[in-house]
Amino acid sequence: MAGAGGRSWRDLLAGRARKRRSPFGSTAELQGAALQLLDQHQNLAELLLEVGDSAKPCVQDGAEHRGVSPESFIVSVLQEQASKLGVPTATLAAKNAIAKMEQICQDPASPSRVPLLNSDQRKRLTCLLQTVKDLLANNMFCRSLFCQDMWKMKGPLVLEAVWHLHSCDIVGLAELLDRSPAGPAAVEWLCSSLCGLCEQAGDTSCGDTSCGDMELAQRILSDFAIVFVQHGFEQPSELGGKVESQKVAYICRAVLQRMLAWVLDAVAKEKQEDVSMVQAVRFWLNVFHVPLYASVAHPDSLRQFFRHTLTEVLTYNPVLKVSDAIQMQKEWSFTRTSPLLTALYRKLLVAFSVKESMCQLQQVLETHEVNWQHVLSCVSTLVVCQAEAGQLFKDLLSHLLLKAFGNYDMENMITAFLIARQAALEGPAVFMPYSEWFKASFGNAGGHHGSSKKSLVFLLEFLSELVPFEAAPYLKVHIMFPPCVPGKHRALLLEYITLARTRLADLQVAIEDMGLYEDLSAPEEAVQPQAQALRDVEKALQIFESSRKIPTSVIEASIFRRPYYTSWFLPALLRPRVLPKTPDGRMAFIDSLKRADKIPSNLYSTYLQACHAMKEKVLQDASKAEPSHPKEPLEQLEAELAELRTLVVQQAQWEEVAAQLALVSDRLRGALGDSSEDNEDNEAAPCSSRVRVAVPAPGLSPCPQRVVDLLLTSFCQTLLAASSFNPPDRQGPCLSLLVRMMCGHRNLLPALLARLCQLLYHQGPSLGAAHILGLAAFVIHLSECRALIPAVEADFGPSQAVPGKALSVSEYWSSLLVCRTEESFVFCLRFCTAAAAYLMCKFSSCSREEFCALVPPGLIKKLQFLVPRLSSEARAVLCEEAQSALSWSSLSCPSLSYRRASLCLWRQAAFQELLKEKAFQLSFREWLLLELEVCPDKDILSAAERQDFHHWAIYQRYLPAPSAAGGCDGDLEKACGVILNAILDSSHRLELGGCARSRTSLSPEILCRLQELVLELRCRPKLLPGCSAAQRALVLELLQGRLAGTEPEQGSALGQQLWRQQELLLHRRVLLGLPASTLVTLCWRGNRAVLDCDSFFCFVNSELKNVSSRGYALSFDITAHFFRGLLSASLDCEDAAEGVSEALAACQTKCPVVLLSAALWWPRLEPALCCQWKRLFGAPLAGELARLRGWHSSGTRFLCSGAAFPASGPPWLSAAFLHGALLQHSPRGTEALHRLGTGAEQLLVALLFFSLLDLISARIAPKEGVDFQTSLEWSLQILQCLQGRGTAWPLLFHSAEGAPGMFHVLHRAASQRHTRLLPLAFYSLTPSFQQELLQQEPTFLSVALQMYIQLLQLFVEGQVLPQSDQDHTEHDPLELISAARQFLLGAIPQCPARSLGNIQPLLSTCEELDPELAATLRHFCRPAVDVELEEELELF
């Protein structure tokens, strides 16, 4: 009640007390006067409001000083009034409180009741409630009557007023509900009020009201939600069967039910609802915030509430049929599902473990009729937001299939198919694609359908029933990967396939129009052939650019799938464009197809004309050029990545990050160019084909590169932002999930791996610290997701000797970290240190086994190479004292020294423990291969530092180390073998960019280390007389063993042949780099030490002679090396001259090619040998050496002075020296041939053989200085001389096995290639073949026919027949074959019968290669055979 001027009763009372003294003598008189005044002007309701704030009285003197309290007035007034009315004081107080409360809640400005009061109402209500609390404390307020009268108010209750009563412990919500006259009415009031509260809060979030109202609404909702859960889901033991408790429970459950229906109805109409309604529903979802009930609700009640709610959601309004679900489930993926429904699921699922969620889902499916949209959306949410859900769904699917086939139950069957397809919609990062699941379930005889015919019929009937509702991609999966069916039931499967094809035809999708690289696990509607053809073109271009060959799938399509190839693929490939000045990959691909006749000429001409027209149009109006790649999808992706970064930095809940990642994945799909009708999971489907990366030039189109750069940039920014707050081990799984999501997009992988190649291999030294840290962490997570990434085929260009094996992603990025120059060493050290530090910090909580499985071996091995090489401190033995760990945050410090950082990492106990694992130990061979890649002139170490490092690594680290740790067990021979093999292998590996060495050159410094070890091997006690043991020719044994077991498995026969030839050239370089004495060993025969050259002779005969370009002689360098070694080794013999002579004498039978080599190179060889002999012994030359010098002198005198040529020694060796002299003598005269004695026929035959091999050498090695025409003329002169003497020279062309005497020696000395090309030399001599030769030499025809057959076989086998460099038309292979054939056809009729009789073994082979010639031979052979038979008959 207010006084004059609006002053309150209390103010007036206090003021008057200060102004004058009270005229009343006592307190009783004062109370009486006050009661009389109030009785005349009283308003109890207003009085309750006025005396509200009794806790803090304003009267500090006067009345209070006299002991007058404000409560005493209200109590006195209430008592007086109650006594007059004859009612209890508590009843009167309740009645007046209700009246005042109703008055307060009536807002004149708002005729309709709203859930929240305005500020004036709230202030007045607070005063009233404070007075009521004081009355309750004095037991002068009737709570039950107050509750009953509240329901009798004229207007509905105001929610906030009820909440104030509840929160002030005046009347709880449960008590109020218990006093409600009708439960449904209470439910209706609560639901309408709560909806209004949510709508008002939704308007607040949109900025219409204050934040204070938002907080108040949140408190009201939270408190009431607790009441609903506590009483609506009270445990049976707590109920006690009380009726009032059951009533309250009914109301609470009904309210929650009605509100859930309100939410789900809004979800169904979300697209039509305005923003405020969506915000209102989202506000209600706070009811499902689990921490809200942490300490106030019984755990079982809470679980029952969430379980009940999840069941209600899954079974709400089940109007969709299974057929609808089959057709519409693609719209229910995680990213397409209503965000409200997704948010609801995520909040509900927090209350359960993953297994409990799965059990609840399974129970609902088995016992209720479900809303398929809600069920499948729940499946998507589970599989995206719960990492363990993928495996649990696989188990659930197996269980459903088992039940389905056990009872032939269609319901379990359709449930399994729907769940499998729904989970597959979310990508392989979380669940296997549908095609894989279908193949795994039904693609083998061990599937559930394979147990009986009934099971098979059940499956096929089920699939047939799905056909009318199926999308085309699923039908394609069933057709392309049909169930495994026994042959006798094949007809059943064919019926289904026919039905499925008919359905595809109805959908206007032809199986023939399926793309070359189409993903059959597509859950969307069929991709249009135009879109699929564009994808096929891009994939074919990737393969072509990496292999430079037309993909096999394209060639097959041009033959077997002609309609798709001509109608879709070629138009997509030949889309008109402005052709670049420099031909790009697409132009090269089109040109290759055109040359292979895979593009019709008219279509190609039309394409060129269209390109020309487009170029003119662009020139006319350049401003109209349309951007090829819109920016909008990229901006959307960037926005979602920024939101993800915010969540990571804020350490949001795991499921929130997973949900945001699903949105990022959806935006990424759009940025990569996939339309909404395309497969949700197309790019992420499994692919058995490898990802090819052209390392020297990893090409990237602009759009994929921008996407990849955005992803990598976002990853680095997210990592650095998160690291500024927490170390990697406390950042959660967000970054792992981000990389896993990237790996799930299959069409992103080629661009991602190519970009990594650009950054690490080409631009590594120029990267900044932030880039290095981000990329180092990225590759660690990339290795973590290696199961999702197919094998990588890294093409290092034409310098790659043999096609590389398929690499895992860890091996791939490790191979990009090359250490060759000073800059690359610094970059690799920084990168590997950062990667290892991140790895050890991020996964520090993993078990030992889990951690080792995550560690990329290449990273640890690279550090074992880098750290000791660049930090000499790391070579020392580590002390046992504990080392401080390298912190991840310190790596981003600008002043950080990476050498110190790497050394700190190296000294950590955890890192050293890791080095003890065998999988991570850098072996001696691996160390050598890394060291051999270094460019010495650009190395970060000086030559002296490098030598010190080599000595430490070999003699201190690897030589004494056990083999289990990658060492050599102290075995020098083993160390030599490892070094030798590493040197040779490295020469077959990549050329080293700008500091490339020739493939036949060797690393001089590592070769020096090998020399040291080989010399150390020879420093052993000398063998005693009579000892049976002999020195081993270790190097030769190693080389021969390598040739026996290291041929490349891949490649053509020609490729293997070239590899072997290169390998042998390297062997020769190795032998030349080692001490010459290693070619010759010492052994004891009786009591005499002799020289043993057998190992070298064997190596020459089997291998080394085959890389000689001269055919019958080794190169000068290896010849001189052997003779130097022979003379040096003879020092250990008692009689050096005798030892050398014996060794050279053995050459005549064991290895004649050594002596032939000496004959060829003697003018250059003699001075060095004589000098060495004189230096070592100071005595006359050994006997055999003197004989060699004598043969050379005789040949020179014979040609220069006309002296007779002595016939001493083997004719082939004399001929070799004479041939060598003839090569030095010009011109070669025929008179020298005639001056040879009558017994020189064998010498002339050998001379002819050497000349013919020179003729072949002139073809295959024209740069060796041998002229083809000169050799041919000289060979013809020798042949004429032989024919004049009547010598049987055709035996020279017999095989080595069938050749007699000297001919066998000559063939043994010739290289395999020269021997195979002898037919070329034979038919080069046809102009000199005399007519009499056919009659006089009975073997000539068989030899000529054999040579012709071998010539044809060379051509058929694809062997390159050498041609002249000057004139490619001269002696063309086809012309040579034609000339040989004509010669035979002309010679056959002139041959005697006995000559024809010798060709019978060759007729069958000839008939296969040249039937016409074989027919001619048979025609002329038949009479001869008949005559012989008649003669034989006459003998009897």
Side-chain angles (χ1 to χ4, degrees), residues 1175-1195:
R1175 184 178 66 254
L1176 293 177
F1177 306 108
L1181 279 177
E1184 287 299 320
L1185 287 175
R1187 290 183 66 193
L1188 296 179
R1189 183 167 62 179
W1191 279 321
H1192 174 72
S1193 301
S1194 299

Side-chain angles (χ1 to χ4, degrees), residues 918 921 923-925 953-978 1013 1017 1020:
K918 187 173 183 180
Q921 291 172 348
S923 67
F924 188 27
R925 169 184 167 77
I954 294 175
Y955 293 104
Q956 297 182 46
R957 181 176 180 180
Y958 285 113
L959 184 58
S963 56
C968 302
D969 297 312
D971 188 347
L972 284 175
E973 292 186 357
K974 186 175 183 179
C976 289
V978 174
L1013 292 176
L1017 269 176
R1020 294 180 175 179

Side-chain angles (χ1 to χ4, degrees), residues 1082-1091 1132-1135 1139 1142:
L1082 195 70
C1083 65
W1084 286 90
R1085 291 179 185 168
N1087 293 326
R1088 193 165 60 92
V1090 296
L1091 300 177
D1132 294 329
C1133 297
E1134 294 180 4
D1135 187 343
E1142 288 181 357

Side-chain angles (χ1 to χ4, degrees), residues 358-412:
M358 295 292 296
C359 291
Q360 181 67 15
L361 177 62
Q362 184 177 353
Q363 181 182 357
V364 171
L365 288 170
E366 291 175 349
T367 58
H368 294 75
E369 187 178 359
V370 297
N371 182 319
W372 280 112
Q373 179 180 1
H374 291 180
V375 167
L376 296 179
S377 299
C378 181
V379 169
S380 287
T381 305
L382 265 173
V383 80
V384 167
C385 296
Q386 299 291 347
E388 303 89 348
Q391 183 58 48
L392 293 175
F393 270 116
K394 293 178 185 177
D395 298 339
L396 174 60
L397 291 173
S398 300
H399 173 72
L400 290 172
L401 289 179
L402 185 62
K403 291 184 64 177
F405 281 95
N407 302 320
Y408 301 105
D409 182 4
M410 284 290 186
E411 289 189 6
N412 282 306

Side-chain angles (χ1 to χ4, degrees), residues 589-656:
F589 183 46
I590 293 173
D591 184 60
S592 297
L593 289 174
K594 181 67 175 65
R595 284 188 279 106
D597 293 330
K598 298 300 180 183
I599 300 179
S601 299
N602 57 344
L603 185 61
Y604 184 72
S605 300
T606 304
Y607 166 69
L608 293 179
Q609 293 172 5
C611 292
H612 181 69
M614 181 171 286
K615 181 179 180 181
E616 292 181 350
K617 182 180 180 182
V618 170
L619 293 176
Q620 291 174 2
D621 189 5
S623 62
K624 294 182 180 180
E626 297 181 357
S628 56
H629 301 285
K631 295 182 179 180
E632 184 179 357
L634 207 60
E635 292 174 353
Q636 293 178 357
L637 175 61
E638 187 174 8
E640 297 298 345
L641 287 170
E643 178 65 23
L644 177 67
R645 182 161 57 253
T646 303
L647 291 175
V648 174
V649 172
Q650 294 176 349
Q651 291 187 294
Q653 293 294 326
W654 186 83
E655 60 271 11
E656 294 181 15

